[in-house]
Amino acid sequence: MTLPILPLAPAGQAPARGRDSRPGLAGLEPSDLTAWFVARDLPGWRARQVLDAVWRSGAASIDDVPTLPGALRRAIDEAFRFDTVRDTEIRLSDGGLTEKALHRLSDGALVESVLMHYPARGRQRERHTLCISSQAGCAAGCPFCATGELGFTRDLETAEILDQVRHAARRLAIDGRRLTNVVFMGMGEPLLNLDNVLAAVAALADPTRFGLGARHVTVSTSGVVPGIERLTALGPQFTLAVSLHAARDPLRDALVPLNRRWPVADVVRAAREHARVTGRRITYEVTMIGGINDTDDDAAALATLLAGDHAHVNLIPMNPVAHTPWQASPMPVIERFAARLRASGISTTIRRNRGQEIGAACGQLAAARAGEPTAPTVARRRERIVRESAAALRGERSREPLASGVGD
C-alpha cells in the first residue's frame, strides 16, 4: 500500500497565521447543518448530501463532491471547513503496522494520532485502532510524557478531534478496511476538554455519521474527578481508562501532578462508582519506570487499592523521553509485577510498545518538530525530576503547585 505523505514545514517554520474561524463540518450536528440550508431557502436534503460526503466518502475537500452544484460548493467552502487539518506528515513503523501522523491545524498548532494495525490471529478478528488527541499540548505535566514537555497550547474543537479519525479512515479505505477502535489517549487531558470530547464521541457512535459503536471507544483521564463524576451521571457506554501510574500518593504526586488536586483514593473511588453505574469495567494504565514505580511494594499497594473492583490493569513499558533520566522497567520486572497483581485477582495485561523508532508515544514527534530544548533546560528538568522522585520515594508529598488552570 502506498500512503500519501505530506511533509510539514521544518521545525521552527510553522506558518504564522490566525485560527480559521469557519466551523468544521465534522463537528456540526446534522440538525444545525440542515438549518443552515433551510435558512438560505435551499432544500434540507442537501445537508444529508454534505454529511454523506464528510462521513461516507473518501473526499478530502468539498471540491471532491461532484453531486453538489459548483455554486453551492463555493458557498459551503466560504462558510465551513471540509477538513480542519491543513497538512499531515505520516511515518511508518513495525513493517507498516504502526502509522504515526502529525497534523498541522489552521493556526499552526501540531497534534498527533497513531494508527495501529492488528492482523487476525486465531479467533481474533483483524483490528485497526486509532489513538487521537483532544488538546494541542497538555497542561497536566506528567514528567514521563513528551507532551508534558510541550506545555499546553489550546483545546481542540470537536471537528479537529474528528478530522483525525476521518484522516485515518480515508487511508484505511484505500485497501477496503475500516477503523474498529478509537482511543482518546493522544495529546492532552480529555476530561479538561470534556464538552468537545463528548460531542466527538457522539458523532463517532452516531449511525448516520461515523457509525462506530460507543463500546469501541475508550476515553482516558489522568484523574480529573469532576469529569469522571460528570461522565457517571451521563452513563456513557464507552470505556473509561485511568492513567494511574502509582497507587501511593507521594509517588503519584510526582508522576501525575493532578494527584496534588485529586488524590489517588478519590480518583479510584470516582472510577469505582462509574463502573457500578454504567456496568463498564475500568481500565487502569500504569507506565512502568525502572526503579521508580515497579517494586513489590508498588504492586502490593496497587493490588490493595483495586481489591474487589471491576477493573483491568495495563502495564506499559515507558517510552524514552529526552528530558527525563528514567528508563523503562526491564521486562522480567514487569512480568513479576503483573504476576503479583494476577495473584491478587486483578486482571492484568502487559502492553508491548510499538513505533519507538518513529516517536509513536504521545507527543514525541510534535516535541521533535518544536525543536530540541537547550542543554541547560534539559539539565534543569532532569534535576527537578530526580529531586522530586527521590522525595516521593521517601514518602514525602509534593508541595509544587499545579500549572495555571489545571485542577481549578
Side-chain angles (χ1 to χ4, degrees), residues 54-59 99 103 113 115 117 128 130 162-180 182 204 210:
V54 169
W55 294 110
R56 307 289 183 200
S57 76
E99 305 176 21
H103 310 286
S113 63
L115 179 58
H117 307 287
H128 305 282
L130 181 69
L162 291 168
D163 285 342
Q164 298 168 65
V165 178
R166 293 175 59 223
H167 193 282
R170 289 199 299 269
R171 301 195 325 260
L172 282 169
I174 295 171
D175 292 332
R177 298 178 295 175
R178 181 175 171 80
L179 275 176
T180 57
V182 173
L204 292 175
F210 193 69

Side-chain angles (χ1 to χ4, degrees), residues 156-229:
L156 297 190
E157 303 166 17
T158 300
E160 292 171 332
I161 296 171
L162 291 168
D163 285 342
Q164 298 168 65
V165 178
R166 293 175 59 223
H167 193 282
R170 289 199 299 269
R171 301 195 325 260
L172 282 169
I174 295 171
D175 292 332
R177 298 178 295 175
R178 181 175 171 80
L179 275 176
T180 57
N181 301 85
V182 173
V183 297
F184 285 77
M185 294 183 179
M187 297 169 67
E189 164 53 61
L191 300 198
L192 293 180
N193 187 20
L194 188 50
D195 287 339
N196 290 345
V197 166
L198 287 174
V201 172
L204 292 175
D206 185 349
T208 68
R209 285 182 279 177
F210 193 69
L212 183 69
R215 294 196 174 205
H216 295 276
V217 176
T218 298
V219 175
S220 177
T221 179
S222 295
V224 181
V225 169
I228 296 173
E229 292 172 342

Side-chain angles (χ1 to χ4, degrees), residues 272 293-294 321 334:
R272 186 177 294 132
N293 66 345
D294 60 358
V321 178
I334 299 176

